[in-house]
Amino acid sequence: MGLLDLFWVASFPVIKVLLITAVGLLLALDNISLLGKDARIQVNHLVHYVFNPALVGGNLAETITFENVVLLWFMPVNILGTFMIGSALGWILIKLTKPPRHLEGLILGVCSAGNLGNLPLIIIPAICKDKGSPFGDPDICNQYGLAYASLSMAIGAIYIWTYVYNIMRISSSKVHKEGNKSSDSIKLEGSGEISESLPEKGSEPLNQAKDNVDDAYTLLLSSNESEEKVKVTMSDKIKHHLGMIFGNSNFRAIFSPSTLGAIVGFVIGVVPQVRNFMIGNNAPLHVIDDSVNMLGEAAIPTITLIMGANLLRGLKGASTPVWTIIGIIGVRYILLPIFGVLIIKGATHLGLVQLDPLYQFMLLLQYALPPAMNIGTITQLFGVGESECSVIMLWTYALASVAVTLWSTYFLWLVS
């Protein structure tokens, strides 16, 4: 297949994404407002809790088996590589462009975390269904392509909410601390004096008496009572710490519905007894699998519409340093894909990656994607760089139509 033919094959999925994204952007306009702020929140919840888990779990259950799970071990390592290399390049970009302090965590986030779920779920099935696809039978290609993309989404979500989340948390906490220090110094300078907090009359004797009572009470405690108190305290502490872990927003994000859907899909696919009971036309409970797949089919168009609606905020966003945006585009669409080609070709040469062209294409594509949309959610959580994130997302996704098409064409040529 010629390079021009591969270009047409690679361009059609991106054109489809652009068209549906444009519809989402149109529906979010103030004059139409079918996908206004409240509607986007509700639809996002529907995608997050219903459509995505159904899509991920259903595809993994049908395609992942105990035999081929061993062959996919390189994908988590490859995704970790995209995060590590992206972080290093983002750090270099910060040193070169010297952006405002509050944007440093955001720059590291968008350089390290790519859209490892939504876009592959759209691009790979579209390439598989095209007549000129180099991946063979469209149905088999679509089935395995969705499984690879679903696995990529689940692994990417774990890395984003453990690695990128904490990078941006640390960066935002430094910004907030510096802001508090500067505001305190301004208040002191404006008042022209520093007041000391003195205890009120009568407060010291009361506090001293209270301390004396506490000390006497401690001395009067028997050893048995002390041991019992320690035991109760330890059990309470364990319950408290467990509650903090499971109630932590970061922990809940790691085990998001999509991740739980991936775990369920893995269990069903890998355990033969469960697989035979649910997967296949002759399975007793195949109606459950059919229902899950029906729900999952709604995920891709809905995700694309929401992605377009979210980009509208970038048109109204605050000004962001031009060189910072250019640097992020260079990292995501030039440097990272070059590193990806070198890594995947080297791993294939060493026998670390199976010779499946579709699998190799998926690994290469993970290096050439725009930033993850979850970065915008993280900026909202910490209240730092929200408007700047919208501007970065607008430009990176606008240029993705060209960059992803060109790199997809080159990747297809490499693996075919």
Side-chain angles (χ1 to χ4, degrees):
M1 182 179 287
L3 196 61
L4 185 60
D5 295 329
L6 292 174
F7 177 79
W8 284 115
V9 172
S11 63
F12 283 135
V14 180
I15 293 172
K16 291 178 182 177
V17 173
L18 284 175
L19 290 175
I20 301 175
T21 302
V23 173
L25 184 64
L26 183 67
L27 295 177
L29 293 174
D30 294 335
N31 296 334
I32 300 175
S33 194
L34 286 176
L35 280 177
K37 183 179 179 181
D38 294 336
R40 287 200 301 271
I41 291 172
Q42 296 301 323
V43 177
N44 265 320
H45 287 164
L46 191 62
V47 171
H48 182 68
Y49 289 105
V50 181
F51 294 159
N52 271 351
L55 180 68
V56 172
N59 287 314
L60 287 177
E62 290 184 353
T63 53
I64 298 297
T65 62
F66 182 77
E67 291 76 17
N68 63 20
V69 119
V70 180
L71 300 175
L72 300 176
W73 70 270
F74 190 78
M75 186 178 287
V77 177
N78 188 63
I79 294 175
L80 181 61
T82 65
F83 278 74
M84 294 295 103
I85 297 171
S87 299
L89 295 173
W91 180 80
I92 295 171
L93 176 61
I94 290 171
K95 296 301 179 183
L96 292 176
T97 60
K98 293 180 171 54
R101 182 85 173 176
H102 70 282
L103 294 181
E104 291 182 0
L106 174 61
I107 292 170
L108 288 174
V110 296
C111 287
S112 59
N115 193 329
L116 297 167
N118 298 352
L119 282 183
L121 284 172
I122 301 167
I123 292 172
I124 290 184
I127 291 177
C128 289
K129 293 175 183 177
D130 194 274
K131 293 180 180 179
S133 172
F135 299 132
D137 182 79
D139 294 332
I140 296 176
C141 172
N142 184 67
Q143 184 181 11
Y144 280 90
L146 283 174
Y148 296 152
S150 299
L151 183 60
S152 176
M153 173 187 277
I155 297 170
I158 293 172
Y159 286 149
I160 287 172
W161 290 101
T162 52
Y163 178 71
V164 176
Y165 175 91
N166 284 295
I167 286 178
M168 297 181 68
R169 177 182 61 82
I170 294 169
S171 175
S172 63
S173 64
K174 290 180 179 178
V175 172
H176 287 310
K177 285 179 182 178
E178 290 177 0
N180 291 335
K181 287 180 181 179
S182 62
S183 62
D184 291 342
S185 63
I186 290 171
K187 287 179 181 177
L188 291 173
E189 289 174 3
S191 62
E193 59 182 7
I194 301 175
S195 59
E196 296 180 1
S197 57
L198 298 174
E200 297 178 1
K201 290 183 179 180
S203 62
E204 187 173 354
L206 288 174
N207 291 333
Q208 188 174 357
K210 184 179 182 299
D211 292 339
N212 292 336
V213 171
D214 290 340
D215 292 339
Y217 179 72
T218 303
L219 291 172
L220 290 172
L221 280 174
S222 64
S223 59
N224 292 335
E225 288 174 335
S226 298
E227 290 176 3
E228 185 179 352
K229 184 179 180 182
V230 170
K231 289 179 182 178
V232 173
T233 304
M234 287 298 294
S235 63
D236 289 341
K237 284 183 178 179
I238 292 171
K239 291 178 182 179
H240 175 68
H241 286 302
L242 288 175
M244 286 180 64
I245 292 172
F246 290 105
N248 187 276
S249 60
N250 191 14
F251 183 86
R252 292 199 304 269
I254 295 170
F255 290 94
S256 64
S258 296
T259 307
L260 294 176
I263 294 172
V264 172
F266 259 113
V267 172
I268 294 173
V270 171
V271 180
Q273 294 80 2
V274 181
R275 182 182 181 84
N276 295 333
F277 203 64
M278 297 187 67
I279 307 300
N281 294 329
N282 297 324
L285 295 179
H286 76 277
V287 65
I288 297 177
D289 180 54
D290 294 341
S291 302
V292 169
N293 287 330
M294 186 181 297
L295 281 174
E297 289 173 358
I300 294 175
T302 310
I303 288 169
T304 315
L305 287 172
I306 292 298
M307 187 169 63
N310 288 336
L311 292 178
L312 180 65
R313 292 184 300 172
L315 297 173
K316 305 174 181 178
S319 60
T320 306
V322 176
W323 286 111
T324 299
I325 296 175
I326 293 173
I328 292 169
I329 291 169
V331 168
R332 291 233 59 100
Y333 295 141
I334 298 175
L335 298 178
L336 265 175
I338 292 174
F339 276 102
V341 171
L342 296 175
I343 291 171
I344 302 305
K345 294 300 288 185
T348 305
H349 180 72
L350 295 173
L352 301 175
V353 177
Q354 57 178 310
L355 297 177
D356 179 9
L358 179 60
Y359 182 58
Q360 292 182 8
F361 177 78
M362 180 71 224
L363 296 177
L364 288 165
L365 185 64
Q366 289 169 346
Y367 286 91
L369 295 168
M373 298 300 289
N374 283 334
I375 301 295
T377 304
I378 297 174
T379 59
Q380 291 173 6
L381 289 175
F382 299 124
V384 176
E386 292 181 60
S387 55
E388 291 89 348
C389 180
S390 298
V391 175
I392 291 170
M393 290 294 180
L394 177 66
W395 283 104
T396 51
Y397 275 83
L399 292 173
S401 58
V402 178
V404 175
T405 300
L406 293 176
W407 280 113
S408 297
T409 303
Y410 181 63
F411 295 156
L412 288 171
W413 177 77
L414 277 181
V415 301
S416 61

